[in-house]
Amino acid sequence: MAGTIVVVVALVLGLSMTGDHGMLGVEGLVCSKAYKDQGCNKTISDLFTEGMFEGMFMHRNGRMAHAQGFWSYGGFMTAAKMFQSAGFGSVGGDDTQKKELAAFFAHVAHETSCGWPGAKDSPYAWGLCYNRELSPTYEYCKGDELLYPCAPGASYHGRGAFPLYWNFNYGATGAALKQDLLNHPEILSYNETVAWQAAIWYWMTPGKTRPSPHQVMVGKWVPTKNDTLAKRLPGFGMTINIRASESECGHGDDLQMHDRIGHYVRFLHDYFGLTDPGVIFWQHKHNL
């Protein structure tokens, strides 16, 4: 599976999953259709259509794909609506909402891609090629984990739209989604909706020592002095730091990092009609 294996400990639970209609208020959550004309935020389906999904992931069912028929716009929307009232893709106004969705899909596409430099339709058109790690050689079982001990015979290798690894991550994610992922981690490779839910839950959930990618992309994260000194600043780059940490950040040019940025720039410009000043220098340098 494309991308670097990332260990993610996410133990902060409790996000609302109560439906697709939030309230019109100070948080600017999605509101009912009756209030759309009063300036409240649009829904995800208003901003992100099935045609856009098909364009972004045009090769997911092609001959080279290893998850043919698994990923769909409908499956994503079913999962996304469960988090819409919590703010996923639904706060901050059109531009912020579009940037968050582009950033989310950029990470998904990078980590599930079977594209390559020079690939047909660009290397950024090959996301959702996988839904699981092929031929895993390691079970990712942390034996001394007390809260989420490994189930007999279970393997916690990468599965899903944001590939999940390790028993403690499967356990925490399953507890949040009310799915027994600890005993049945394979759910993420045969239930598309749960696979999307797991990715969105990760996106929305802060860790013990980091903000959530959602908080970063909607402007809810304020860097500390140490963050600023370490050049951890608001914007898409910080979501790479959250997702990939030192494996891709802090040591100059990194091919995986560049691929994430390339996906973000392409999706944001080609499908959402925006540019991001935070990556404009990169965009010019790489002629995107």
Side-chain angles (χ1 to χ4, degrees):
M1 185 173 288
T4 304
I5 293 172
V6 180
V7 177
V8 180
V9 183
L11 298 179
V12 181
L13 309 181
L15 284 175
S16 170
M17 295 174 59
T18 57
D20 62 340
H21 297 297
M23 296 183 295
L24 182 63
V26 293
E27 293 301 317
L29 297 180
V30 177
C31 53
S32 65
K33 292 180 180 179
Y35 291 97
K36 283 278 185 73
D37 60 355
Q38 297 185 25
C40 56
N41 291 319
K42 294 176 181 175
T43 63
I44 294 174
S45 60
D46 289 330
L47 299 172
F48 183 65
T49 66
E50 185 169 8
M52 293 165 71
F53 181 88
E54 294 296 331
M56 286 169 142
F57 304 109
M58 64 177 68
H59 294 293
R60 71 188 190 283
N61 294 321
R63 289 189 303 169
M64 292 185 61
H66 298 277
Q68 294 175 9
F70 185 80
W71 300 108
S72 69
Y73 175 78
F76 166 74
M77 287 304 302
T78 298
K81 287 179 180 180
M82 297 177 182
F83 292 88
Q84 207 162 221
S85 63
F88 176 64
S90 62
V91 294
D94 284 15
D95 287 2
T96 294
Q97 291 172 257
K98 290 174 181 179
K99 287 178 182 178
E100 180 178 14
L101 291 170
F104 173 81
F105 285 121
H107 288 291
V108 166
H110 166 77
E111 297 194 25
T112 60
S113 176
C114 56
W116 66 98
K120 180 183 177 182
D121 301 309
S122 95
Y124 308 121
W126 294 78
L128 297 180
C129 184
Y130 301 91
N131 65 355
R132 61 184 175 84
E133 181 182 2
L134 302 180
S135 304
T137 59
Y138 191 66
E139 294 182 350
Y140 299 95
C141 170
K142 188 174 184 291
D144 59 354
E145 170 62 33
L146 299 179
L147 186 58
Y148 300 114
C150 301
S155 174
Y156 301 101
H157 58 270
R159 300 179 181 91
F162 274 5
L164 201 62
Y165 291 88
W166 295 100
N167 50 305
F168 44 84
N169 288 321
Y170 275 86
T173 304
L177 302 179
K178 295 180 171 53
Q179 297 283 338
D180 188 9
L181 299 183
L182 193 63
N183 289 295
H184 298 284
E186 69 279 0
I187 289 173
L188 291 183
S189 57
Y190 69 70
N191 188 317
E192 182 200 4
T193 299
V194 178
W196 281 119
Q197 287 176 344
I200 300 171
W201 181 80
Y202 169 85
W203 183 263
M204 298 295 293
T205 306
K208 286 185 175 180
T209 59
R210 61 155 180 83
S212 70
H214 166 74
Q215 290 173 320
V216 172
M217 291 306 299
V218 302
K220 294 292 185 181
W221 172 67
V222 178
T224 65
K225 181 178 180 180
N226 287 339
D227 287 324
T228 302
L229 291 173
K231 298 182 179 180
R232 293 188 292 266
L233 303 174
F236 180 72
M238 182 60 189
T239 69
I240 300 177
N241 191 289
I242 293 169
R243 188 67 187 149
S245 191
E246 295 178 357
S247 64
E248 296 180 23
C249 299
H251 52 261
D253 282 350
D254 183 280
L255 292 178
Q256 301 297 327
M257 175 190 71
H258 286 309
D259 190 66
R260 292 181 196 268
I261 299 172
H263 277 93
Y264 175 62
V265 168
R266 178 59 62 87
F267 289 172
L268 187 62
H269 180 268
D270 289 7
Y271 295 97
F272 292 102
L274 295 176
T275 56
D276 186 335
V279 295
I280 199 71
F281 175 78
W282 186 97
Q283 186 173 351
H284 290 323
K285 181 178 178 181
H286 293 267
N287 296 316
L288 283 179

